[in-house]
Amino acid sequence: MTHKSETGHRSSGFTVQRIESPPISPKYIQKRDNAWKRRAQEGAEVGKEFYNGVLYRYLDFDEGGIKLGLMSYSDRLFKKDMTTDEIEREFGDEHNMIHCIVEVVMITTDGMVVVGEKAMTTDLQKGQLAHVSGNMNHDEVEVNTSEDVFKMAMMEIEEEANVQPKREKLFFVGVVQPRTYFGFNFVYLLDISSEQVNELNKEGEFLSFKTMSLDEMVNTDQKGIADFEDSKEWIEEAVKGILEQ
């Protein structure tokens, strides 16, 4: 599924449907669990705690909507050890665990993009660029409707930035599906200008926030996490569509 802009609507523009996930093989489970133990230990050694919670998994899309199943966080991290192609060749297509995320591009009143520098990534690196984003955790929100995905996005805003989000300022702008994740993308219109961006700083996911123009963000040489890099393909159309309303 490629990115589709839904910038003309405050409504969701999509539907979700929960279905059963396909069974996975004991061989896959053993290899995944061994990788999880090692990565969890590596993270603990540098102060990055990994919690093996339950995530929403993208399975399919048809006239009934976006079909979601469940997977574990260890499935997500396992993709750091084996590529999607390697997993599919060794275990079968049904073992390609495409985790779901929400990604929120925050925009200031003067039209600047808010960008954060990550305190620590899943690759155990500091300072990479990112938007407010997060895995869709079953433990946090029971997702049965599109509005539940909006709730998930608002929760990420509140957790990662010093913002009390307002639903009417959150716009769904489309979805993307690279090979490893499925992203529900949003734009959030802040009540502050770029000169006030320091007010967003909050201890946790980010070292700090800064602002960039759309052109600066798309062309920056500073390394970003995967979904930040992918956002360069759709952010200009999405943000301009919202701001021109």
Side-chain angles (χ1 to χ4, degrees):
M1 177 185 262
T2 57
H3 178 80
K4 180 181 179 182
S5 175
E6 299 286 351
T7 55
H9 305 279
R10 270 202 177 92
S11 60
S12 67
F14 65 96
T15 58
V16 296
Q17 181 183 359
R18 293 280 298 280
I19 64 174
E20 289 293 323
S21 300
I24 54 179
S25 73
K27 182 181 176 183
Y28 169 89
I29 292 172
Q30 181 180 27
K31 200 163 186 176
R32 176 202 66 189
D33 289 353
N34 287 338
W36 165 256
K37 291 176 184 177
R38 174 173 50 78
R39 287 198 169 269
Q41 179 61 36
E42 291 172 351
E45 289 173 356
V46 294
K48 175 70 172 179
E49 183 177 354
F50 293 126
Y51 168 65
N52 195 17
V54 179
L55 308 181
Y56 288 100
R57 173 186 177 185
Y58 170 79
L59 289 170
D60 197 7
F61 176 77
D62 60 22
E63 65 277 0
I66 299 166
K67 299 184 184 300
L68 303 180
L70 298 175
M71 60 185 281
S72 70
Y73 191 79
S74 57
D75 293 311
R76 182 198 188 289
L77 276 194
F78 190 45
K79 291 180 284 186
K80 303 289 184 182
D81 278 50
M82 296 182 69
T83 68
T84 295
D85 289 338
E86 289 170 340
I87 290 172
E88 291 180 354
R89 281 197 302 269
E90 184 167 347
F91 306 110
D93 292 353
E94 68 275 12
H95 294 79
N96 178 19
M97 305 284 186
I98 303 173
H99 63 284
C100 294
I101 70 167
V102 290
E103 182 166 30
V104 183
V105 176
M106 298 192 298
I107 304 295
T108 63
T109 54
D110 49 340
M112 300 291 279
V113 181
V114 175
V115 177
E117 294 188 334
K118 294 284 283 187
M120 184 76 72
T121 70
T122 56
D123 291 323
L124 307 183
Q125 297 182 34
K126 292 184 178 181
Q128 290 193 8
L129 299 181
H131 302 296
V132 165
S133 64
N135 300 308
M136 288 178 53
N137 293 289
H138 178 266
D139 314 61
E140 295 179 345
V141 177
E142 179 71 32
V143 175
N144 293 299
T145 69
S146 58
E147 197 59 35
D148 295 326
V149 182
F150 274 78
K151 182 178 179 181
M152 187 81 72
M154 292 180 68
M155 182 178 296
E156 289 297 330
I157 296 171
E158 189 169 6
E159 287 179 352
E160 298 187 359
N162 186 27
V163 177
Q164 291 294 319
K166 302 172 183 176
R167 173 63 178 81
E168 66 271 16
K169 290 184 171 290
L170 183 66
F171 296 80
F172 171 69
V173 295
V175 299
V176 290
Q177 187 199 339
R179 287 280 282 165
T180 59
Y181 72 93
F182 185 92
F184 292 87
N185 301 323
F186 296 86
V187 168
Y188 186 80
L189 301 182
L190 292 163
D191 293 320
I192 64 171
S193 73
S194 56
E195 294 180 353
Q196 300 167 285
V197 68
N198 287 340
E199 296 178 11
L200 301 176
N201 292 339
K202 183 177 183 179
E203 186 176 354
E205 283 293 319
F206 292 98
L207 298 171
S208 63
F209 288 104
K210 59 185 177 182
T211 58
M212 295 180 174
S213 68
L214 281 170
D215 185 65
E216 288 170 337
M217 198 225 93
V218 170
N219 293 292
T220 182
D221 291 329
Q222 187 174 349
K223 187 176 181 181
I225 65 173
D227 43 288
F228 176 87
E229 296 295 337
D230 291 336
S231 77
K232 294 177 180 180
E233 299 296 320
W234 57 262
I235 189 170
E236 291 183 283
E237 177 187 356
V239 171
K240 288 177 181 179
I242 295 296
L243 296 180
E244 289 171 1
Q245 290 188 49

